Amino acid sequence: GAGVSQSPSNKVTEKGKDVELRCDPISGHTALYWYRQSLGQGLEFLIYFQGNSAPDKSGLPSDRFSAERTGGSVSTLTIQRTQQEDSAVYLCASSRLAGGTGELFFGEGSRLTVL
Amino acid sequence: TQLLEQSPQFLSIQEGENLTVYCNSSSVFSSLQWYRQEPGEGPVLLVTVVTGGEVKKLKRLTFQFGDARKDSSLHITAAQPGDTGLYLCAGEGNNRLAFGKGNQVVVIP
């Protein structure tokens, strides 16, 4: 599979627990994005990684959210002490180009349900 | 914050009919992208428009970028059930794409 891979595809957790969501981008893509999509809403930007530059974390909704990208490839989005309002589909995308007019290739998303 | 407003939010039409959906903003964008998202999948790029006034065609889909590069429209001719999906517009800014809430289109056979 040459596409963006995300895991798990579905995660149900209890309020207060921590969760980790994984994204494996397309090989060679230097840019990686995390978005959140809630029911009836568009895609909400969370964080952006570009090569070895410092990530743009300006979209993270609270300090319970963090993300890493190791070795310029795989990324992990961590949500600590989950709340019910964190329930959403978390989408990862990668791109060959930095920002802008480059096409984003999305994974199928990780659906998070916080009970 | 560059906001993209998409209208209508939901549209249901019969197979064979035409439809137009809109993406509007008060901001100027260097480019706009249109994506289509089907249930359980991630969005897939349909087209990128760059030049003000530009018109691009993709089979039965026609995309137009406004002269002032603040708005865009998507027109579907003779809609088919396979056109059903969430159409998202996205504008470039600050090294990221900002997305609208989407136009949910349902084509009834």
Side-chain angles (χ1 to χ4, degrees):
Chain A
V4 176
S5 178
Q6 291 189 246
S7 63
S9 55
N10 279 287
K11 175 72 175 179
V12 180
T13 189
E14 293 180 345
K15 177 182 173 181
K17 295 289 181 69
D18 298 350
V19 296
E20 284 190 353
L21 308 176
R22 175 189 168 104
C23 173
D24 200 342
I26 294 173
S27 178
H29 282 193
T30 59
L32 186 148
Y33 303 78
W34 284 97
Y35 286 87
R36 178 169 70 175
Q37 187 174 32
S38 303
L39 189 63
Q41 301 294 315
L43 275 64
E44 175 189 5
F45 168 79
L46 296 178
I47 188 169
Y48 160 62
F49 296 90
Q50 172 55 40
N52 295 320
S53 302
D56 177 356
K57 304 180 180 180
S58 59
L60 295 178
S62 77
D63 58 7
R64 296 186 295 105
F65 288 72
S66 62
E68 292 184 340
R69 188 179 186 190
T70 55
S73 180
V74 172
S75 176
T76 301
L77 177 68
T78 301
I79 309 174
Q80 296 178 309
R81 305 181 302 281
T82 52
Q83 303 295 312
Q84 289 182 334
E85 60 263 28
D86 299 334
S87 296
V89 176
Y90 289 82
L91 289 161
C92 174
S94 68
S95 173
R96 286 187 299 112
L97 301 178
T101 56
E103 176 180 1
L104 293 192
F105 293 83
F106 284 87
E108 293 186 344
S110 293
R111 180 176 296 277
L112 174 66
T113 302
V114 182
L115 301 177
Chain B
T1 302
Q2 297 169 305
L3 294 177
L4 287 160
E5 300 288 339
Q6 293 191 245
S7 62
Q9 289 187 13
F10 182 82
L11 183 60
S12 177
I13 62 170
Q14 294 291 327
E15 180 177 358
E17 292 183 341
N18 301 333
L19 69 97
T20 303
V21 294
Y22 301 91
C23 172
N24 295 293
S25 176
S26 58
S27 301
V28 175
F29 290 98
S30 57
S31 66
L32 272 179
Q33 299 182 8
W34 282 91
Y35 289 78
R36 179 168 66 206
Q37 184 179 24
E38 299 185 16
E41 299 183 4
V44 175
L45 180 68
L46 296 174
V47 76
T48 302
V49 287
V50 179
T51 306
E54 181 178 6
V55 176
K56 280 193 173 179
K57 292 193 174 183
L58 184 66
K59 297 184 180 178
R60 292 175 294 97
L61 277 60
T62 301
F63 302 85
Q64 184 162 7
F65 200 12
D67 290 341
R69 291 186 287 124
K70 292 183 178 180
D71 53 82
S72 182
S73 64
L74 160 59
H75 180 79
I76 302 178
T77 303
Q80 302 295 310
D83 296 327
T84 293
L86 179 67
Y87 290 83
L88 294 157
C89 69
E92 171 196 352
N94 298 322
N95 289 323
R96 72 179 77 148
L97 284 181
F99 284 83
K101 291 187 177 181
N103 309 104
Q104 180 63 56
V105 172
V106 176
V107 182
I108 302 168

